[in-house]
Amino acid sequence: MEQAKSSDKLSIVDAHIADQQDLLLFHTKQYVEFVQRSSIEGGGFLDYGDTPSYKGVYEAALYTVGNSLNGLRMISNGKVDHFFNPIGGLHHARKDRAGGFCVFNDCAIAISKVLNDFDLKRIAYVDIDAHHGDGIYYGFEEDPRVFIGDIHEDGRFLYPGSGSSDETGKGKAIGTKLNVPIDPGSGDEAFIRAFDNVLKFIESSNPEYIFLQCGADGLEGDPITHLRYSAMAHTYATKKLHQLAHKVCNGRIVAMGGGGYNPRNVRDAWMAVVKELCSF
Ligand SMILES: [Zn+2]
Ligand SMILES: [Zn+2]
């Protein structure tokens, strides 16, 4: 059943599962098989102590990926203009390992899928999660087709420690990534300053597809970060990217949840994202 509930502006769809082939668009076979084995045994960690394993972790992680891929499909089929996957945005998973509570990197798999299937040349990925999206950055560091704008708490104070402003891509891709670390304690004003720079950068790449990782862990009161945005940050970022998507790429924008460890903040930030995506 495709649609559980809908209004004229919003459809809520059932969760979709990915398959192993989808994972291999980004991850190594060895890593995928490692997660499968770990999922049968259960217990322990998939990395050095951040990302827990449990019985069924493989299948659960397939849903985070399946939803983001379903978003691409629904947009291609013209069923929706935009898509939000609240359980996606797992931006720390690397090609060959888990990291920061992320088993499979649905954002990286979705980007790879779009690059493969539609032969696009310019994909924009904007990441406003409090943590640097290291899985995406290092996954596409040498790929000039992927333009990254990533605002995060300075890595000297927060996991994963990467994402300094001199990390701008490698080889042919130098200049296609913009990392904007911001100081602990920063609020909406600092966010908007940083976001306006990211927007200018992303706009100038003239993207054919836009991804937004909209982690809610930069809002004031999150227990594991030190930023102090309000949900206004999410309203602002989504509004600007939504407008840009309609202007340059037929409205193609997929948003993915990401982190968020204060439930009230998660509600406020992601409601703001959905509201903006439904705004016209
Ligand atoms: Zn985060
Ligand atoms: Zn729209």
Side-chain angles (χ1 to χ4, degrees):
M1 193 180 72
E2 191 80 312
Q3 294 190 351
K5 251 185 212 168
S6 52
S7 69
D8 57 337
K9 285 274 186 187
L10 180 73
S11 303
I12 298 173
V13 298
D14 287 343
H16 276 62
I17 195 159
D19 60 32
Q20 204 201 55
Q21 281 313 106
D22 297 326
L23 304 178
L24 298 176
L25 287 166
F26 181 71
H27 294 287
T28 64
K29 193 142 199 266
Q30 289 85 335
Y31 174 58
V32 170
E33 287 170 356
F34 163 74
V35 178
Q36 283 170 328
R37 280 195 306 276
S38 177
S39 182
I40 294 165
E41 292 156 15
F45 288 90
L46 294 169
D47 50 17
Y48 296 106
D50 268 339
T51 313
S53 184
Y54 50 89
K55 275 193 181 151
V57 64
Y58 176 72
E59 286 73 21
L62 285 179
Y63 277 103
T64 62
V65 176
N67 287 342
S68 291
L69 294 180
N70 185 42
L72 301 183
R73 240 182 339 259
M74 289 188 75
I75 289 174
S76 306
N77 296 341
K79 289 194 177 157
V80 295
D81 293 324
H82 324 300
F83 193 89
F84 174 53
N85 175 14
I87 65 166
L90 302 188
H91 61 171
H92 295 305
R94 303 291 186 95
K95 285 177 197 263
D96 58 355
R97 62 186 159 93
F101 320 138
C102 304
V103 180
F104 298 128
N105 195 322
D106 62 294
C107 331
I109 292 167
I111 291 171
S112 303
K113 178 94 180 150
V114 162
L115 287 171
N116 273 7
D117 287 9
F118 307 125
D119 191 29
L120 300 186
K121 302 283 186 292
R122 298 179 312 278
I123 307 298
Y125 170 82
V126 176
D127 186 321
I128 62 170
D129 191 283
H131 302 90
H132 179 230
D134 55 335
I136 301 292
Y137 180 82
Y138 295 112
F140 297 98
E141 194 178 18
E142 298 184 50
D143 192 329
R145 299 169 298 176
V146 182
F147 292 79
I148 298 176
D150 192 321
I151 302 168
H152 46 271
E153 183 175 332
D154 192 315
R156 286 174 297 175
F157 308 100
L158 191 68
Y159 177 93
S162 52
S164 76
S165 55
D166 58 5
E167 293 190 277
T168 62
K170 264 193 181 163
K172 274 195 235 153
I174 287 178
T176 60
K177 327 291 177 211
L178 178 66
N179 278 302
V180 189
I182 60 178
D183 291 335
S186 296
D188 290 342
E189 249 173 70
F191 177 82
I192 285 172
R193 255 197 318 276
F195 188 82
D196 285 344
N197 283 334
V198 164
L199 185 67
K200 221 181 289 166
F201 176 74
I202 292 297
E203 232 166 354
S204 70
S205 75
N206 198 20
E208 298 165 290
Y209 218 109
I210 298 175
F211 292 92
L212 168 64
Q213 199 274 18
C214 53
D217 48 7
L219 268 62
E220 182 163 16
D222 189 276
I224 72 169
T225 80
H226 319 96
L227 297 174
R228 303 178 65 185
Y229 312 151
S230 73
M232 205 276 282
H234 288 70
T235 298
Y236 190 81
T238 311
K239 186 194 289 283
K240 297 287 182 181
L241 291 174
H242 180 203
Q243 284 168 350
L244 181 64
H246 279 292
K247 198 168 127 198
V248 301
C249 55
N250 291 326
R252 288 194 291 258
I253 180 169
V254 170
M256 298 159 293
Y261 308 97
N262 172 321
R264 213 168 284 160
N265 286 348
V266 170
R267 175 199 66 189
D268 293 348
W270 294 351
M271 283 296 288
V273 169
V274 171
K275 196 170 161 208
E276 281 307 318
L277 289 178
C278 291
S279 70
F280 63 89

